[in-house]
Amino acid sequence: MAAKKRTIRTIPRERTPMAEQPAAERARNFREVACGFTLAEALRESERCLLCPDEPCVRGCPVGIDIPGFIAKLGEKDIHGAFDVLSDTTLLPAICGRVCPQETQCEQVCTVGQTLEPVAIGRLERFVGDAAISESWSSVPFIEPAGFKVAIVGSGPAGMACAADMAKAGCQVTVFEAFQQPGGVLRYGIPEFRLPNEVVDAEIAKLVRLGITFRTNVLVGRLFTIEQLLTEMGFDAVFVGVGAGTPTFMDIPGEALARVVSANELLTRVNLMHARDFPSFDTPLGIGKKVAVIGAGNTAMDAMRVSLRLGAEKVMCVYRRSRDEAPARAEELHHAEDEGVQFHWLTNPIAILDDGSRGVGALRCQRMELGEPDASGRRRPVAIADSDFDLDCDTVVVAIGTDANPILGQTSGLALDDRGYLAVDADLATSIDGVFAGGDIVTGAATVIEAMGAGRRAARAMKRYLGLVDSDVPYDDGLGAAPFGLSGSGRDYVRVRAV
Amino acid sequence: MSEPNAGPARYEIVRREDFSDVTYLLEVRHPEMARAARPGQFVIVMSRPEGERIPLTIADFDGERGTITLVIQAIGKTTREMQRDLAVGGSLYALVGPMGHPSATDGVKKVVCVGGGLGVAPIFPQARAFHEAGAYVIGVIGFRNKDLVFWEDKFRAVCDEFIICSDDGSVGMKGLVTEGIKVAASRHSDIDRLIAIGPPIMMRGCAELTRTLGITTIVSLNPVMVDGTGMCGGCRVRVGGRTRFACVDGPEFDAHTVDFDDLMLRLARFKAEERAALERWQQSCRIEAQPAAIASRQEGS
């Protein structure tokens, strides 16, 4: 430990590159784009962290991961130790290391980043998370039964994070999911080449080891209501993390034609229903060879890159503003560009033309120019007169955003805000006593880590509501404790303190 | 309520009945859903993990038996495969619901419940609900011919008048259900609602007729959907000039505001894929059947 103090002059100057599949190759397969660090690469990158005392990265992280702490352990080649540090604050390092927008969070404020490129925190987190999965490590919280039953509605990132915290606090947690498999947007939304389903499975298996029950095929609101969870079903508290996810359409002529789909539908067919393996799987895909994707957010980028991998010859991005206003992460935009997506900036779709047999023949667009800033602070796109033209395509994917899912508003007494999202107070408490909510159903579409952060904040509020105090001995070596959860060996399963 | 770490739920088939070569009934155990279900709602079913999610309108539910009933027409690959493979004691891989808004029965004094094709079974719980709510119920049910008739006794038990229509006149009156509606309308001038469930072409026919008769008409739409929870937008239909989702805004809508051309366009989205899947499946069935046929010939020799 008495190693020489690192300074900005002694650390490796260049950020350690991560191997990626070449663009031309990866654009035709569903394997992960970014291949991950080797141990040598991870060790080298860990040396770039100054372990600086003011730790701006920790404050930059929505869940407050002890970033220097895990990187220090990694530097000592104690990967399990690094995993334990991560496990104190995040349950899903293999997921967050992949899908967090680190460039606007921890890495943006990294001290090294003021002079050189910032430490590749996300890649290091992924390295540790992947090691934990391949070695079947799981954190070993010291769980004391608290005697409370907690229901989590929605098994996406917000629900997973809240479920984990409540299980660690000793609650008997049941997660309800409407689909046949848990994971929410991590399962149906984010494609395999960014987040393999195996990683989602592994992270969910960890939650099962915490004693959490997953009930799939349950549509809360319709099978039973939020109110029934608290009354007839005996739950002491409820967290609602159902996501936003009701796609909006443009209301332009031709939207009913076959091969006009929402990005949500395309991604769900491919990611959850395995439509790319049709006919081995029964769900058909319904896209053609020339795909126009409307929108330029992260979901749009996913839809474009999925379309390429499904064998589309031409994939186009159609966006009414310019590249500078595109809401997608910079890295996603780069990836899409590298893989050969054609971008049509300042292009506004006005009609989808019939090919004569009720399919898509073309996308009629008009050219735009940027005017004065609008309410969002971005310059408003204004149509250029007589600039209509037709883009040749046989499929249109609409990826212009989502609205709040209406089901809970229809079936419960939960108060909504004026946009239809759930109304919550500063503690994420809803209008019904004992019911908390977080993630996209509160904020509108945001990121995975923000949803996880909301799930954890709601868990803190829920614990206060139930009068629970977290154990001050969160981890245990296993002595004198009775096994609980799935059987395992050594420290790799959850234990309950003998009462 | 399953206990922690219980195995996956099993949606057991407790009864099966075959009404004809194409129409079969499955009664499935799901006590929570049997309690929650209301007329007009639907479920999504997956028969196996590699299967597709198909929406089916609930044909009956019984809170005491803890079951829901589905009546299925074997038309495409999935529904034919289910017809071949699902038996009592077997189970569905996934069953989720009840989905959609329940239908409203309040305030209706005289109602015509119209069912045809795949809509015959799901109109039954509606007729029963109106009957239980004290309304005068006229059932108008269409079948292609006499051999396809089912549930006549169930309908007669809840209908004050019951009119069967058949394409060939082999049972009841000859003609489409619209002919039956005309008969009902000629007998009653005070019909205050008509509910129609069936193929889109039938529902459109009903809507056009009742528009001239001035009868408030509700149809239940069943477009292609993936999740059934408002997430994919695949089930969008134009109603009253707006895009609505059948799964969360419906499935029932005012028939006089539904754009049926749009609905039919949406239903034909996967025609080519559906045909290809069915042909491939039938081909594989023939190949599977061959060794068995050879074996039986050898046994016979």
Side-chain angles (χ1 to χ4, degrees), chain A residues 180 213 215 217 222-223 245-247 249 251 255-256 260-262 264-265 269 279 281-282 358 405 410, chain B residues 4-5 11 32 36 48 50 53 77 98 100-101 229-232 234 236 238 248 262 265-266 269-270 280:
Chain A
Q180 68 271 20
T213 302
R215 276 194 66 194
N217 300 314
R222 292 288 177 199
L223 189 60
T246 293
F249 288 87
D251 255 349
E255 259 181 344
V260 180
V261 293
S262 72
N264 268 9
E265 178 173 353
R269 284 179 180 273
F281 283 73
D282 289 337
R358 305 185 142 191
N405 188 293
Q410 292 167 351
Chain B
N5 301 324
Y11 310 106
E32 280 174 322
R48 54 194 183 86
E50 302 79 20
R53 295 170 65 90
K77 188 242 173 183
H101 290 285
T229 63
M231 238 187 54
C232 77
R236 62 187 187 273
R238 296 291 288 178
V248 290
D262 183 273
L265 194 56
R266 299 296 302 158
R269 284 174 72 193
F270 290 103
R280 211 177 286 109

Side-chain angles (χ1 to χ4, degrees), chain B residues 2-298:
Chain B
S2 58
E3 292 306 309
N5 301 324
R10 192 165 169 272
Y11 310 106
E12 189 193 353
I13 295 160
V14 297
R15 188 165 71 92
R16 170 174 169 149
E17 200 179 329
D18 288 80
F19 296 129
S20 67
D21 293 355
V22 291
T23 310
Y24 57 104
L25 171 153
L26 298 176
E27 187 176 345
V28 188
R29 187 175 308 287
H30 197 317
E32 280 174 322
M33 198 185 296
R35 279 196 300 276
R38 296 289 173 269
Q41 293 188 299
F42 65 98
V43 294
I44 283 193
V45 166
M46 282 178 84
S47 59
R48 54 194 183 86
E50 302 79 20
E52 58 182 332
R53 295 170 65 90
I54 56 167
L56 295 167
T57 309
I58 299 172
D60 204 355
F61 47 88
D62 186 332
E64 283 176 21
R65 280 172 62 85
T67 59
I68 64 143
T69 297
L70 305 170
V71 174
I72 304 165
Q73 288 207 320
I75 299 168
K77 188 242 173 183
T78 294
T79 46
R80 287 190 198 207
E81 187 185 63
M82 288 168 66
Q83 183 189 35
R84 184 190 67 180
D85 296 342
L86 295 178
V88 172
S91 60
L92 300 171
Y93 169 67
L95 173 63
V96 56
M99 291 163 156
H101 290 285
S103 38
T105 50
D106 51 311
V108 175
K109 293 191 182 66
K110 192 170 279 185
V111 62
V112 182
C113 293
V114 185
L118 49 84
V120 173
I123 199 70
F124 169 73
Q126 309 243 16
R128 181 176 59 191
F130 281 112
H131 174 71
E132 285 168 359
Y136 186 92
V137 181
I138 304 162
V140 178
I141 306 298
F143 295 99
R144 277 211 314 281
N145 61 56
K146 187 169 176 288
D147 298 335
L148 300 175
V149 174
F150 65 93
W151 279 11
E152 185 175 348
D153 49 340
K154 280 183 79 147
F155 276 105
R156 287 198 187 277
V158 297
C159 292
D160 298 278
E161 286 176 47
F162 187 61
I163 301 169
I164 291 189
C165 307
S166 60
D167 292 4
D168 60 359
S170 59
V171 59
M173 58 181 285
K174 185 170 192 276
L176 302 173
V177 289
T178 41
E179 298 306 312
I181 296 169
K182 284 179 193 161
V183 170
S186 67
R187 292 181 196 156
H188 303 273
S189 59
D190 55 347
I191 295 165
D192 49 11
R193 185 157 323 160
L194 184 140
I195 322 284
I197 311 182
I201 198 108
M202 179 205 103
M203 293 193 287
R204 181 168 66 183
C206 294
E208 281 167 4
L209 173 61
T210 57
R211 201 193 306 271
T212 63
L213 298 171
I215 301 172
T216 304
T217 299
I218 305 292
V219 287
S220 175
L221 307 186
N222 192 13
V224 176
M225 50 180 83
V226 183
D227 58 290
T229 63
M231 238 187 54
C232 77
C235 67
R236 62 187 187 273
V237 283
R238 296 291 288 178
V239 180
R242 290 170 59 201
T243 295
R244 309 297 301 274
F245 291 180
C247 64
V248 290
D249 298 321
E252 298 188 349
F253 294 99
D254 175 351
H256 298 150
T257 63
V258 170
D259 181 340
F260 284 98
D261 289 337
D262 183 273
L263 175 68
M264 285 184 240
L265 194 56
R266 299 296 302 158
L267 279 166
R269 284 174 72 193
F270 290 103
K271 223 169 198 167
E273 288 89 345
E274 284 160 4
R275 194 167 46 237
L278 183 59
E279 280 167 10
R280 211 177 286 109
W281 183 72
Q282 286 171 326
Q283 178 68 24
S284 73
C285 290
R286 278 194 288 278
I287 291 167
E288 275 174 33
Q290 272 169 3
I294 292 163
S296 68
R297 272 204 301 277
Q298 284 169 343

Side-chain angles (χ1 to χ4, degrees), chain A residues 73-268:
Chain A
K73 289 282 184 196
L74 185 56
E76 296 163 16
K77 295 193 188 171
D78 179 3
I79 302 168
H80 201 315
F83 175 66
D84 284 342
V85 173
L86 282 173
S87 299
D88 282 338
T89 39
T90 176
L91 199 80
L92 312 165
I95 292 175
C96 296
R98 284 176 168 82
V99 300
C100 271
Q102 291 97 6
E103 71 275 11
T104 61
Q105 299 175 348
C106 53
E107 294 179 11
Q108 186 179 41
V109 292
C110 172
T111 306
V112 173
Q114 291 170 9
T115 318
L116 307 170
E117 275 199 290
V119 178
I121 299 167
R123 295 171 179 185
L124 292 175
E125 182 187 18
R126 171 180 162 178
F127 174 79
V128 176
D130 284 354
I133 290 173
S134 67
E135 300 294 324
S136 307
W137 296 332
S138 58
S139 49
V140 195
F142 200 88
I143 293 180
E144 273 184 285
F148 292 114
K149 276 175 72 179
V150 170
I152 309 282
V153 184
S155 68
M160 286 166 84
C162 187
D165 280 3
M166 297 314 292
K168 288 178 185 171
C171 297
Q172 189 184 321
V173 179
T174 304
V175 181
F176 298 100
E177 165 59 45
F179 272 132
Q180 68 271 20
Q181 286 180 298
V185 72
L186 306 174
R187 174 86 58 189
Y188 75 76
I190 301 177
E192 288 265 320
F193 54 85
R194 288 214 289 130
L195 177 63
N197 275 339
E198 292 166 17
V199 174
V200 180
D201 290 338
E203 302 284 42
I204 284 167
K206 273 194 214 163
L207 299 183
V208 173
R209 283 203 238 184
L210 284 176
I212 295 167
T213 302
F214 283 87
R215 276 194 66 194
T216 52
N217 300 314
V218 176
L219 181 60
V220 174
R222 292 288 177 199
L223 189 60
F224 36 76
T225 62
I226 296 285
E227 286 86 345
Q228 280 175 301
L229 283 166
L230 290 166
T231 54
E232 294 161 36
M233 298 173 71
F235 286 97
D236 300 290
V238 177
F239 173 74
V240 180
V242 295
T246 293
T248 49
F249 288 87
M250 305 196 54
D251 255 349
I252 58 175
E255 259 181 344
L257 295 168
R259 295 195 169 170
V260 180
V261 293
S262 72
N264 268 9
E265 178 173 353
L266 172 64
L267 293 171
T268 305

Side-chain angles (χ1 to χ4, degrees), chain A residues 406-467:
Chain A
I407 292 176
L408 290 179
Q410 292 167 351
T411 58
S412 76
L414 288 169
L416 308 179
D417 68 14
D418 50 10
R419 300 175 308 154
Y421 293 93
L422 295 186
V424 295
D425 67 11
D427 280 337
L428 299 180
T430 67
S431 59
I432 298 180
D433 197 37
V435 180
F436 300 80
D440 285 6
I441 193 59
V442 170
T443 58
T447 62
V448 168
I449 191 71
E450 283 168 304
M452 290 181 59
R456 302 207 67 203
R457 271 171 57 213
R460 278 198 292 279
M462 199 183 264
K463 284 185 243 180
R464 276 201 304 281
Y465 169 80
L466 295 171

